[in-house]
Amino acid sequence: MDDKFMLMIPGPTPVPESVLLAQAKHLIGHRSGEFSEIMAEVTAGLKWLHQTKNDVLMLTASGTGAMEAGIINVLSVGDRVLVGSNGKFGDRWVKVCKAFGLNVDVIEAEWGKPLNPDDFKAKLEADTDKTIKAVLVTHSETSTGVLNDLKTIADHAHAHGEALVLVDAVTSLGACSVPVDGWGLDVVASGSQKGYMIPPGLGFVAMSDRAWQAYETSNIPKFYFDLGPYRKSGAKNTTPFTPPVSLFFALQVALKMMQDEGLDNIFSRHAKLQTATRAAMKGLNLPLFAADEVASPAVTAVMPQGVEAEKIRSIMRKQYDIALAGGQDHLKGQIFRVGHLGFVGNRDILTAVASLEATLAQLGANGFTPGAGLAAAQAVLSA
Amino acid sequence: MDDKFMLMIPGPTPVPESVLLAQAKHLIGHRSGEFSEIMAEVTAGLKWLHQTKNDVLMLTASGTGAMEAGIINVLSVGDRVLVGSNGKFGDRWVKVCKAFGLNVDVIEAEWGKPLNPDDFKAKLEADTDKTIKAVLVTHSETSTGVLNDLKTIADHAHAHGEALVLVDAVTSLGACSVPVDGWGLDVVASGSQKGYMIPPGLGFVAMSDRAWQAYETSNIPKFYFDLGPYRKSGAKNTTPFTPPVSLFFALQVALKMMQDEGLDNIFSRHAKLQTATRAAMKGLNLPLFAADEVASPAVTAVMPQGVEAEKIRSIMRKQYDIALAGGQDHLKGQIFRVGHLGFVGNRDILTAVASLEATLAQLGANGFTPGAGLAAAQAVLSA
């Protein structure tokens, strides 16, 4: 059925009706006082969400653009960087760093496993000459559903003293606590189509004082992504280049909704959705790709046995109008991923699990009891 | 009054209701077949609008981002480029080129005057060693309302044989004919909030075969703006990074509207709006900043005498709910600019002129006859 789709993917995430409609407002000039008022309000909201007193800048770009901007504004050609990689997005930051001439030291972990903070510690402690200028960490690895131990890795970087902490918080921000100031994170990048509950098109970069100090000596060429002018314009509640005005309307409404819900409630809601989703998969004997202790609050990856992931996705899409995400790169066809990030409630999880049970039955999957997934999810949600 | 604003600025331009509402649709996954169908349709529409058989790529970026992408994908560090500058945007491309280590030869003209094609010709003819790798031209200089003679400058570049033609068509595309293939333009950049009649957030870059040849040897570092992956993904109707899905919904509707109207009708409508606006200003004895022969079809700049431009803008905004643009940089306070680009009809010009007459009367402006502006505009529009 047209227009019946339900998004259970890790982005774009579902967008509330009031946010959708905010985009349909007639535009205003981006050099007007009215726009500056909106920008002041959303800037305050972004600082609240990032738990920071420092700058959070807004770019017309995807999350990748925001992360690239963070990297090229605080580093210089030839700088040594430690990049954690345990999934598609960690891999991407390795590529970005190499594209801009950085000296990349990759710290890998198997896809589905977390980065080991001790690997960072060892490299950082061995670096007595302080050649490591930054540590890059993907907080929630969207491709695998793993939440890396960002705080511990950041602590190791702080013990090193020189290395900045650059974070891809694309699917963690708005799903679990990312206390930017509290954890001493220097550059935190994110994108609008995730926890923000608005459509894609805006990228965000939080910058610490240390990041701005590094900016002063950064020699990587840049113009559109030069964050200096964004900071300078931002101080006057304006932008160096034309901003996506309709997405600002959307962001204004969404941040207000988030503030009404409150950070703690947002995080505990996501934790509950995550637990319920995982309980359901266990109840259905579907193997989870990441262990409980390292699971992302945004997305749950499942590696079905004896039944094809892509067949599950296809039936879910065609017969139940639910979009699940597939695996990426070498995990294509191996896993499916359930997004439970942003504007997602208890009902959505039950809907997805009920449809998944019907799908498994249709595919003749063995080893599961119809109703067992739902029962497990219900137990979590009603607790 | 809230929500009563009428935009008569050169961007963001007014957005049709059907386009506004298209943005309010629930999102779909950008890796879905449904999204690819939309992308195929808008790609075809973009080629139609650009009058090209070659690639037109879509970036999540403002027009400045699109222009930067064009520059850094076809040039290499140290390349000599001729950059035309007769306004704020020409100035900006000089800055972008310098930021990326190009050897910039600026060809200037006074703001409000057009670039002289003979200046390009002289430099290109003198360059027997073929050191000039590109010529950059702002087709419609939004800051002054001047339309540069792009075709003649492009012809000179073709006679040179080596220099690529890079064009900022941000406020010319969709307002007057920009025959990308017909004029042999190699890189043509534009932004969504102009002739496209949709909100800001999408940038477009058309690339010729010669541009793709130059891409092969370009050594300027890039990742997010590396157009190779956009081309490769685009061939499969997908994108390398998350696209602004709601703006694609908007673009789909807007391009359909444009195709229904037809290119010739779009261009003649803009020519009429331009002529009517200019006739009105002449009727009111308000000096036009650019001469008729070089006037932009997108925006008309007016330099009032004896009455302050900012006072006119302020009354127009507060009492008539019409947003006009001001002057930029050294023209701040010296001029006002009337946008007549995109979703603008005859009625809008009359509305603006009628309100302007009332504003001039209120300000006690001398040397104008109330009704003379309207009469002149009406004569053009009813002809």
Side-chain angles (χ1 to χ4, degrees):
Chain A
M1 251 194 293
D2 278 354
D3 292 343
K4 191 64 189 172
F5 255 119
M6 175 180 176
L7 288 177
M8 295 291 286
I9 62 177
T13 62
V15 176
E17 185 176 274
S18 58
V19 176
L20 288 173
L21 290 172
Q23 293 180 94
K25 280 175 66 78
H26 279 293
L27 296 192
I28 58 174
H30 58 290
R31 301 294 179 220
S32 66
E34 291 78 6
F35 182 80
S36 289
E37 279 176 31
I38 294 171
M39 186 154 166
E41 185 181 326
V42 300
T43 299
L46 291 172
K47 290 184 183 196
W48 166 82
L49 178 62
H50 285 76
Q51 304 178 54
T52 184
K53 289 180 176 163
N54 295 315
D55 295 308
V56 185
L57 309 173
M58 291 168 264
L59 313 176
T60 307
S62 77
T64 297
M67 189 68 180
E68 172 176 314
I71 292 168
I72 67 176
N73 274 271
V74 301
L75 293 166
S76 290
V77 178
D79 275 356
R80 185 177 169 207
V81 293
L82 296 188
V83 184
S85 181
N86 59 333
K88 185 176 176 67
F89 291 93
D91 276 4
R92 182 173 289 178
W93 313 137
V94 171
K95 287 179 193 156
V96 172
C97 289
K98 287 184 176 168
F100 290 99
L102 302 178
N103 175 5
V104 183
D105 209 335
V106 184
I107 294 186
E108 284 186 289
E110 200 182 328
W111 287 37
K113 300 281 185 291
L115 295 169
N116 185 349
D118 288 343
D119 293 346
F120 288 85
K121 188 182 182 194
K123 294 259 187 186
L124 288 160
E125 284 186 349
D127 179 40
T128 49
D129 294 345
K130 309 298 178 194
T131 61
I132 300 171
K133 298 303 176 194
V135 166
L136 276 78
V137 182
T138 303
H139 191 192
S140 164
E141 179 48 79
T142 313
S143 64
T144 62
V146 166
L147 189 73
N148 286 307
D149 185 357
L150 173 59
K151 183 180 184 302
T152 303
I153 296 170
D155 285 344
H156 293 320
H158 300 142
H160 175 271
E162 179 76 17
L164 296 173
V165 182
L166 277 57
V167 181
D168 161 3
V170 168
T171 54
S172 62
L173 202 81
C176 60
S177 187
V178 185
V180 173
D181 291 357
W183 287 358
L185 310 176
D186 295 299
V187 175
V188 177
S190 58
S192 56
Q193 76 279 16
K194 309 287 185 175
Y196 293 93
M197 310 190 295
I198 75 170
L202 265 174
F204 306 91
V205 192
M207 294 274 287
S208 74
D209 286 340
R210 289 175 74 215
W212 283 119
Q213 282 166 28
Y215 168 83
E216 293 300 326
T217 56
S218 163
N219 69 3
I220 296 178
K222 53 198 164 264
F223 185 87
Y224 182 72
F225 281 146
D226 184 343
L227 296 179
Y230 287 87
R231 182 188 211 191
K232 198 173 158 190
S233 299
K236 294 178 283 186
N237 290 312
T238 184
T239 58
F241 313 119
T242 310
V245 176
S246 53
L247 289 174
F248 272 72
F249 292 157
L251 183 60
Q252 183 183 28
V253 175
L255 283 170
K256 178 73 171 54
M257 282 180 71
M258 294 177 85
Q259 286 168 301
D260 287 347
E261 184 175 5
L263 281 184
D264 288 345
N265 291 331
I266 291 171
F267 302 149
S268 59
R269 174 169 56 83
H270 280 85
K272 200 170 192 179
L273 298 174
Q274 171 193 7
T275 307
T277 303
R278 297 178 67 83
M281 301 304 155
K282 290 175 193 169
L284 294 170
N285 277 328
L286 288 171
L288 293 162
F289 191 61
D292 284 351
E293 314 80 65
V294 298
S296 166
V299 55
T300 295
V302 181
M303 191 172 235
Q305 304 296 318
V307 52
E308 288 177 37
E310 289 303 298
K311 283 192 177 161
I312 293 173
R313 291 215 305 137
S314 174
I315 292 177
M316 289 287 280
R317 185 168 56 80
K318 287 182 188 154
Q319 289 181 232
Y320 299 95
D321 299 300
I322 295 176
L324 301 177
Q328 294 173 292
D329 294 353
H330 68 270
L331 290 178
K332 208 162 193 154
Q334 304 296 306
I335 62 172
F336 66 83
R337 293 174 297 148
V338 183
H340 34 74
L341 169 63
F343 187 59
V344 178
N346 295 341
R347 187 187 76 212
D348 299 316
I349 303 301
L350 296 182
T351 303
V353 172
S355 304
L356 178 60
E357 290 187 351
T359 299
L360 291 172
Q362 183 174 337
L363 287 171
N366 294 318
F368 87 101
T369 310
L374 264 181
Q378 286 161 340
V380 172
L381 297 173
S382 62
Chain B
M1 250 194 293
D2 278 355
D3 292 342
K4 192 64 189 170
F5 256 119
M6 175 179 175
L7 288 177
M8 294 290 287
I9 62 177
T13 61
V15 176
E17 186 177 274
S18 58
V19 177
L20 288 172
L21 290 173
Q23 293 180 94
K25 279 176 67 76
H26 279 293
L27 295 193
I28 58 175
H30 58 292
R31 301 293 179 223
S32 66
E34 291 78 8
F35 182 79
S36 289
E37 280 176 31
I38 295 171
M39 187 154 167
E41 184 181 327
V42 301
T43 299
L46 291 172
K47 289 183 182 196
W48 166 82
L49 179 61
H50 285 77
Q51 305 178 53
T52 184
K53 289 180 179 165
N54 294 315
D55 295 307
V56 185
L57 309 173
M58 291 169 262
L59 312 176
T60 307
S62 77
T64 297
M67 189 68 180
E68 173 175 313
I71 293 168
I72 67 176
N73 274 271
V74 300
L75 293 165
S76 290
V77 177
D79 275 356
R80 184 175 170 208
V81 293
L82 296 187
V83 184
S85 181
N86 59 333
K88 184 176 177 66
F89 290 92
D91 277 4
R92 182 172 289 178
W93 313 138
V94 171
K95 286 179 193 157
V96 172
C97 289
K98 288 183 176 169
F100 289 99
L102 302 179
N103 175 5
V104 183
D105 209 336
V106 185
I107 295 186
E108 284 186 290
E110 201 182 327
W111 288 37
K113 299 279 186 293
L115 295 170
N116 185 348
D118 288 343
D119 293 346
F120 288 84
K121 188 183 182 194
K123 294 259 189 187
L124 287 160
E125 284 185 350
D127 180 40
T128 50
D129 294 344
K130 309 297 178 192
T131 60
I132 299 172
K133 299 302 175 193
V135 166
L136 276 79
V137 182
T138 303
H139 191 193
S140 165
E141 179 46 82
T142 314
S143 64
T144 62
V146 166
L147 189 74
N148 286 309
D149 184 357
L150 173 59
K151 184 182 182 302
T152 303
I153 296 170
D155 286 344
H156 293 322
H158 298 145
H160 176 271
E162 179 76 17
L164 296 172
V165 181
L166 277 57
V167 180
D168 161 4
V170 169
T171 53
S172 62
L173 201 81
C176 59
S177 187
V178 186
V180 173
D181 291 356
W183 288 359
L185 311 177
D186 296 297
V187 174
V188 177
S190 58
S192 56
Q193 77 279 16
K194 308 287 185 176
Y196 293 93
M197 312 190 295
I198 74 171
L202 265 174
F204 306 92
V205 192
M207 293 275 287
S208 73
D209 286 338
R210 291 175 74 215
W212 284 121
Q213 281 165 30
Y215 167 84
E216 293 301 325
T217 56
S218 164
N219 70 3
I220 296 177
K222 53 198 165 264
F223 185 88
Y224 182 73
F225 281 146
D226 184 342
L227 296 179
Y230 287 88
R231 183 190 210 190
K232 198 174 158 190
S233 299
K236 294 178 282 185
N237 291 312
T238 183
T239 58
F241 313 118
T242 311
V245 176
S246 53
L247 288 174
F248 272 72
F249 292 156
L251 183 61
Q252 184 183 27
V253 175
L255 282 170
K256 178 74 170 54
M257 283 180 71
M258 293 177 86
Q259 286 168 301
D260 288 346
E261 184 175 3
L263 280 184
D264 288 345
N265 290 332
I266 292 172
F267 302 149
S268 60
R269 174 168 56 82
H270 281 85
K272 201 171 193 180
L273 298 174
Q274 169 192 8
T275 307
T277 303
R278 298 178 67 83
M281 299 306 155
K282 290 174 193 169
L284 294 170
N285 277 328
L286 288 171
L288 293 162
F289 191 61
D292 285 350
E293 314 80 63
V294 297
S296 167
V299 54
T300 296
V302 181
M303 191 172 235
Q305 304 296 317
V307 52
E308 289 177 37
E310 289 304 296
K311 282 193 177 161
I312 291 172
R313 290 216 306 138
S314 174
I315 291 176
M316 289 286 279
R317 184 168 57 80
K318 287 181 189 157
Q319 288 182 231
Y320 300 95
D321 299 299
I322 295 176
L324 301 177
Q328 293 174 292
D329 295 351
H330 67 272
L331 290 178
K332 209 165 192 151
Q334 305 295 306
I335 62 172
F336 66 84
R337 293 174 297 147
V338 184
H340 34 73
L341 169 63
F343 187 60
V344 178
N346 294 342
R347 186 188 76 212
D348 299 316
I349 304 300
L350 296 182
T351 304
V353 173
S355 303
L356 178 60
E357 290 187 352
T359 299
L360 292 171
Q362 182 174 336
L363 287 170
N366 293 318
F368 88 101
T369 310
L374 263 181
Q378 286 160 339
V380 172
L381 297 173
S382 61

PDB file of all heavy atoms in Angstrom, chain A residues 339-364:
ATOM      1  N   GLY A 339      16.022  -0.829  13.571  1.00  0.00           N
ATOM      2  CA  GLY A 339      16.279   0.476  14.178  1.00  0.00           C
ATOM      3  C   GLY A 339      15.242   0.780  15.246  1.00  0.00           C
ATOM      4  O   GLY A 339      14.050   0.524  15.045  1.00  0.00           O
ATOM      5  N   HIS A 340      15.687   1.249  16.400  1.00  0.00           N
ATOM      6  CA  HIS A 340      14.736   1.671  17.455  1.00  0.00           C
ATOM      7  C   HIS A 340      15.251   2.977  18.047  1.00  0.00           C
ATOM      8  O   HIS A 340      15.410   3.135  19.246  1.00  0.00           O
ATOM      9  CB  HIS A 340      14.547   0.584  18.518  1.00  0.00           C
ATOM     10  CG  HIS A 340      15.773  -0.239  18.809  1.00  0.00           C
ATOM     11  ND1 HIS A 340      16.818   0.262  19.523  1.00  0.00           N
ATOM     12  CD2 HIS A 340      16.107  -1.504  18.460  1.00  0.00           C
ATOM     13  CE1 HIS A 340      17.757  -0.687  19.621  1.00  0.00           C
ATOM     14  NE2 HIS A 340      17.360  -1.766  18.977  1.00  0.00           N
ATOM     15  N   LEU A 341      15.452   3.922  17.134  1.00  0.00           N
ATOM     16  CA  LEU A 341      16.109   5.186  17.446  1.00  0.00           C
ATOM     17  C   LEU A 341      15.180   6.350  17.113  1.00  0.00           C
ATOM     18  O   LEU A 341      14.564   6.361  16.046  1.00  0.00           O
ATOM     19  CB  LEU A 341      17.374   5.279  16.582  1.00  0.00           C
ATOM     20  CG  LEU A 341      18.122   6.612  16.516  1.00  0.00           C
ATOM     21  CD1 LEU A 341      18.652   6.995  17.899  1.00  0.00           C
ATOM     22  CD2 LEU A 341      19.277   6.519  15.525  1.00  0.00           C
ATOM     23  N   GLY A 342      15.096   7.292  18.026  1.00  0.00           N
ATOM     24  CA  GLY A 342      14.333   8.509  17.746  1.00  0.00           C
ATOM     25  C   GLY A 342      12.875   8.390  18.138  1.00  0.00           C
ATOM     26  O   GLY A 342      12.550   8.017  19.269  1.00  0.00           O
ATOM     27  N   PHE A 343      12.012   8.692  17.183  1.00  0.00           N
ATOM     28  CA  PHE A 343      10.568   8.752  17.452  1.00  0.00           C
ATOM     29  C   PHE A 343       9.981   7.343  17.393  1.00  0.00           C
ATOM     30  O   PHE A 343       9.198   6.994  16.515  1.00  0.00           O
ATOM     31  CB  PHE A 343       9.926   9.672  16.417  1.00  0.00           C
ATOM     32  CG  PHE A 343       8.473   9.963  16.658  1.00  0.00           C
ATOM     33  CD1 PHE A 343       8.051  10.570  17.831  1.00  0.00           C
ATOM     34  CD2 PHE A 343       7.526   9.659  15.694  1.00  0.00           C
ATOM     35  CE1 PHE A 343       6.709  10.850  18.043  1.00  0.00           C
ATOM     36  CE2 PHE A 343       6.174   9.939  15.895  1.00  0.00           C
ATOM     37  CZ  PHE A 343       5.772  10.529  17.079  1.00  0.00           C
ATOM     38  N   VAL A 344      10.373   6.515  18.344  1.00  0.00           N
ATOM     39  CA  VAL A 344       9.944   5.116  18.393  1.00  0.00           C
ATOM     40  C   VAL A 344       9.369   4.854  19.781  1.00  0.00           C
ATOM     41  O   VAL A 344       9.936   5.286  20.790  1.00  0.00           O
ATOM     42  CB  VAL A 344      11.133   4.161  18.106  1.00  0.00           C
ATOM     43  CG1 VAL A 344      10.704   2.703  18.201  1.00  0.00           C
ATOM     44  CG2 VAL A 344      11.739   4.449  16.734  1.00  0.00           C
ATOM     45  N   GLY A 345       8.248   4.169  19.823  1.00  0.00           N
ATOM     46  CA  GLY A 345       7.611   3.863  21.111  1.00  0.00           C
ATOM     47  C   GLY A 345       7.406   2.366  21.294  1.00  0.00           C
ATOM     48  O   GLY A 345       7.685   1.576  20.379  1.00  0.00           O
ATOM     49  N   ASN A 346       6.906   2.010  22.446  1.00  0.00           N
ATOM     50  CA  ASN A 346       6.676   0.594  22.779  1.00  0.00           C
ATOM     51  C   ASN A 346       5.885  -0.136  21.699  1.00  0.00           C
ATOM     52  O   ASN A 346       6.203  -1.258  21.311  1.00  0.00           O
ATOM     53  CB  ASN A 346       5.876   0.483  24.092  1.00  0.00           C
ATOM     54  CG  ASN A 346       6.665   1.005  25.284  1.00  0.00           C
ATOM     55  OD1 ASN A 346       7.886   1.121  25.215  1.00  0.00           O
ATOM     56  ND2 ASN A 346       5.966   1.326  26.369  1.00  0.00           N
ATOM     57  N   ARG A 347       4.827   0.529  21.235  1.00  0.00           N
ATOM     58  CA  ARG A 347       3.943  -0.080  20.247  1.00  0.00           C
ATOM     59  C   ARG A 347       4.701  -0.519  18.997  1.00  0.00           C
ATOM     60  O   ARG A 347       4.406  -1.552  18.405  1.00  0.00           O
ATOM     61  CB  ARG A 347       2.883   0.959  19.868  1.00  0.00           C
ATOM     62  CG  ARG A 347       1.780   0.484  18.992  1.00  0.00           C
ATOM     63  CD  ARG A 347       0.922   1.664  18.561  1.00  0.00           C
ATOM     64  NE  ARG A 347       1.561   2.459  17.541  1.00  0.00           N
ATOM     65  CZ  ARG A 347       1.410   3.775  17.392  1.00  0.00           C
ATOM     66  NH1 ARG A 347       0.657   4.460  18.239  1.00  0.00           N
ATOM     67  NH2 ARG A 347       2.022   4.411  16.424  1.00  0.00           N
ATOM     68  N   ASP A 348       5.681   0.304  18.597  1.00  0.00           N
ATOM     69  CA  ASP A 348       6.422  -0.002  17.377  1.00  0.00           C
ATOM     70  C   ASP A 348       7.189  -1.318  17.501  1.00  0.00           C
ATOM     71  O   ASP A 348       7.299  -2.077  16.541  1.00  0.00           O
ATOM     72  CB  ASP A 348       7.389   1.136  17.039  1.00  0.00           C
ATOM     73  CG  ASP A 348       6.659   2.454  16.807  1.00  0.00           C
ATOM     74  OD1 ASP A 348       5.627   2.429  16.115  1.00  0.00           O
ATOM     75  OD2 ASP A 348       7.114   3.489  17.323  1.00  0.00           O
ATOM     76  N   ILE A 349       7.718  -1.559  18.682  1.00  0.00           N
ATOM     77  CA  ILE A 349       8.489  -2.790  18.871  1.00  0.00           C
ATOM     78  C   ILE A 349       7.547  -4.002  18.775  1.00  0.00           C
ATOM     79  O   ILE A 349       7.857  -4.990  18.092  1.00  0.00           O
ATOM     80  CB  ILE A 349       9.207  -2.773  20.251  1.00  0.00           C
ATOM     81  CG1 ILE A 349      10.108  -1.542  20.376  1.00  0.00           C
ATOM     82  CG2 ILE A 349       9.989  -4.077  20.465  1.00  0.00           C
ATOM     83  CD1 ILE A 349      11.195  -1.431  19.333  1.00  0.00           C
ATOM     84  N   LEU A 350       6.396  -3.893  19.436  1.00  0.00           N
ATOM     85  CA  LEU A 350       5.435  -5.004  19.374  1.00  0.00           C
ATOM     86  C   LEU A 350       4.980  -5.248  17.938  1.00  0.00           C
ATOM     87  O   LEU A 350       4.866  -6.394  17.489  1.00  0.00           O
ATOM     88  CB  LEU A 350       4.227  -4.717  20.270  1.00  0.00           C
ATOM     89  CG  LEU A 350       4.535  -4.609  21.776  1.00  0.00           C
ATOM     90  CD1 LEU A 350       3.247  -4.376  22.553  1.00  0.00           C
ATOM     91  CD2 LEU A 350       5.255  -5.851  22.286  1.00  0.00           C
ATOM     92  N   THR A 351       4.739  -4.172  17.221  1.00  0.00           N
ATOM     93  CA  THR A 351       4.323  -4.285  15.825  1.00  0.00           C
ATOM     94  C   THR A 351       5.370  -5.020  15.004  1.00  0.00           C
ATOM     95  O   THR A 351       5.061  -5.922  14.209  1.00  0.00           O
ATOM     96  CB  THR A 351       4.117  -2.866  15.234  1.00  0.00           C
ATOM     97  OG1 THR A 351       3.163  -2.183  16.042  1.00  0.00           O
ATOM     98  CG2 THR A 351       3.650  -2.918  13.799  1.00  0.00           C
ATOM     99  N   ALA A 352       6.618  -4.619  15.190  1.00  0.00           N
ATOM    100  CA  ALA A 352       7.700  -5.215  14.403  1.00  0.00           C
ATOM    101  C   ALA A 352       7.885  -6.686  14.768  1.00  0.00           C
ATOM    102  O   ALA A 352       8.064  -7.544  13.890  1.00  0.00           O
ATOM    103  CB  ALA A 352       8.999  -4.441  14.632  1.00  0.00           C
ATOM    104  N   VAL A 353       7.820  -6.985  16.056  1.00  0.00           N
ATOM    105  CA  VAL A 353       8.037  -8.365  16.487  1.00  0.00           C
ATOM    106  C   VAL A 353       6.879  -9.264  16.022  1.00  0.00           C
ATOM    107  O   VAL A 353       7.097 -10.382  15.537  1.00  0.00           O
ATOM    108  CB  VAL A 353       8.209  -8.438  18.026  1.00  0.00           C
ATOM    109  CG1 VAL A 353       8.244  -9.881  18.503  1.00  0.00           C
ATOM    110  CG2 VAL A 353       9.493  -7.709  18.443  1.00  0.00           C
ATOM    111  N   ALA A 354       5.655  -8.754  16.147  1.00  0.00           N
ATOM    112  CA  ALA A 354       4.500  -9.544  15.694  1.00  0.00           C
ATOM    113  C   ALA A 354       4.613  -9.853  14.202  1.00  0.00           C
ATOM    114  O   ALA A 354       4.346 -10.978  13.747  1.00  0.00           O
ATOM    115  CB  ALA A 354       3.205  -8.773  15.986  1.00  0.00           C
ATOM    116  N   SER A 355       5.038  -8.877  13.436  1.00  0.00           N
ATOM    117  CA  SER A 355       5.186  -9.078  11.995  1.00  0.00           C
ATOM    118  C   SER A 355       6.348 -10.010  11.695  1.00  0.00           C
ATOM    119  O   SER A 355       6.281 -10.821  10.754  1.00  0.00           O
ATOM    120  CB  SER A 355       5.413  -7.728  11.305  1.00  0.00           C
ATOM    121  OG  SER A 355       4.356  -6.837  11.607  1.00  0.00           O
ATOM    122  N   LEU A 356       7.386  -9.897  12.481  1.00  0.00           N
ATOM    123  CA  LEU A 356       8.540 -10.766  12.290  1.00  0.00           C
ATOM    124  C   LEU A 356       8.163 -12.232  12.560  1.00  0.00           C
ATOM    125  O   LEU A 356       8.579 -13.140  11.816  1.00  0.00           O
ATOM    126  CB  LEU A 356       9.686 -10.332  13.224  1.00  0.00           C
ATOM    127  CG  LEU A 356      10.960 -11.166  13.178  1.00  0.00           C
ATOM    128  CD1 LEU A 356      11.587 -11.168  11.779  1.00  0.00           C
ATOM    129  CD2 LEU A 356      11.981 -10.626  14.199  1.00  0.00           C
ATOM    130  N   GLU A 357       7.369 -12.453  13.586  1.00  0.00           N
ATOM    131  CA  GLU A 357       6.925 -13.823  13.883  1.00  0.00           C
ATOM    132  C   GLU A 357       6.138 -14.405  12.708  1.00  0.00           C
ATOM    133  O   GLU A 357       6.360 -15.554  12.294  1.00  0.00           O
ATOM    134  CB  GLU A 357       6.058 -13.854  15.150  1.00  0.00           C
ATOM    135  CG  GLU A 357       6.861 -13.582  16.420  1.00  0.00           C
ATOM    136  CD  GLU A 357       6.026 -13.787  17.687  1.00  0.00           C
ATOM    137  OE1 GLU A 357       4.793 -13.974  17.564  1.00  0.00           O
ATOM    138  OE2 GLU A 357       6.608 -13.757  18.788  1.00  0.00           O
ATOM    139  N   ALA A 358       5.246 -13.600  12.174  1.00  0.00           N
ATOM    140  CA  ALA A 358       4.448 -14.074  11.034  1.00  0.00           C
ATOM    141  C   ALA A 358       5.342 -14.361   9.833  1.00  0.00           C
ATOM    142  O   ALA A 358       5.136 -15.317   9.081  1.00  0.00           O
ATOM    143  CB  ALA A 358       3.387 -13.030  10.678  1.00  0.00           C
ATOM    144  N   THR A 359       6.348 -13.531   9.673  1.00  0.00           N
ATOM    145  CA  THR A 359       7.287 -13.694   8.557  1.00  0.00           C
ATOM    146  C   THR A 359       8.086 -14.986   8.701  1.00  0.00           C
ATOM    147  O   THR A 359       8.266 -15.743   7.734  1.00  0.00           O
ATOM    148  CB  THR A 359       8.240 -12.473   8.504  1.00  0.00           C
ATOM    149  OG1 THR A 359       7.455 -11.299   8.302  1.00  0.00           O
ATOM    150  CG2 THR A 359       9.263 -12.615   7.393  1.00  0.00           C
ATOM    151  N   LEU A 360       8.553 -15.234   9.917  1.00  0.00           N
ATOM    152  CA  LEU A 360       9.330 -16.460  10.163  1.00  0.00           C
ATOM    153  C   LEU A 360       8.462 -17.694   9.896  1.00  0.00           C
ATOM    154  O   LEU A 360       8.924 -18.685   9.297  1.00  0.00           O
ATOM    155  CB  LEU A 360       9.846 -16.481  11.608  1.00  0.00           C
ATOM    156  CG  LEU A 360      10.935 -15.447  11.940  1.00  0.00           C
ATOM    157  CD1 LEU A 360      11.204 -15.436  13.441  1.00  0.00           C
ATOM    158  CD2 LEU A 360      12.227 -15.712  11.171  1.00  0.00           C
ATOM    159  N   ALA A 361       7.218 -17.630  10.326  1.00  0.00           N
ATOM    160  CA  ALA A 361       6.301 -18.755  10.108  1.00  0.00           C
ATOM    161  C   ALA A 361       6.113 -18.992   8.612  1.00  0.00           C
ATOM    162  O   ALA A 361       6.171 -20.127   8.131  1.00  0.00           O
ATOM    163  CB  ALA A 361       4.959 -18.476  10.783  1.00  0.00           C
ATOM    164  N   GLN A 362       5.916 -17.902   7.887  1.00  0.00           N
ATOM    165  CA  GLN A 362       5.721 -18.012   6.442  1.00  0.00           C
ATOM    166  C   GLN A 362       6.931 -18.629   5.754  1.00  0.00           C
ATOM    167  O   GLN A 362       6.810 -19.378   4.785  1.00  0.00           O
ATOM    168  CB  GLN A 362       5.426 -16.625   5.875  1.00  0.00           C
ATOM    169  CG  GLN A 362       5.146 -16.663   4.380  1.00  0.00           C
ATOM    170  CD  GLN A 362       4.714 -15.301   3.849  1.00  0.00           C
ATOM    171  OE1 GLN A 362       4.218 -14.459   4.618  1.00  0.00           O
ATOM    172  NE2 GLN A 362       4.893 -15.087   2.571  1.00  0.00           N
ATOM    173  N   LEU A 363       8.108 -18.299   6.263  1.00  0.00           N
ATOM    174  CA  LEU A 363       9.345 -18.829   5.672  1.00  0.00           C
ATOM    175  C   LEU A 363       9.658 -20.238   6.153  1.00  0.00           C
ATOM    176  O   LEU A 363      10.662 -20.833   5.762  1.00  0.00           O
ATOM    177  CB  LEU A 363      10.516 -17.892   5.987  1.00  0.00           C
ATOM    178  CG  LEU A 363      10.533 -16.565   5.223  1.00  0.00           C
ATOM    179  CD1 LEU A 363      11.612 -15.634   5.780  1.00  0.00           C
ATOM    180  CD2 LEU A 363      10.775 -16.820   3.732  1.00  0.00           C
ATOM    181  N   GLY A 364       8.798 -20.749   7.033  1.00  0.00           N
ATOM    182  CA  GLY A 364       9.015 -22.106   7.543  1.00  0.00           C
ATOM    183  C   GLY A 364      10.243 -22.235   8.430  1.00  0.00           C
ATOM    184  O   GLY A 364      10.896 -23.282   8.461  1.00  0.00           O
TER     185      GLY A 364
END
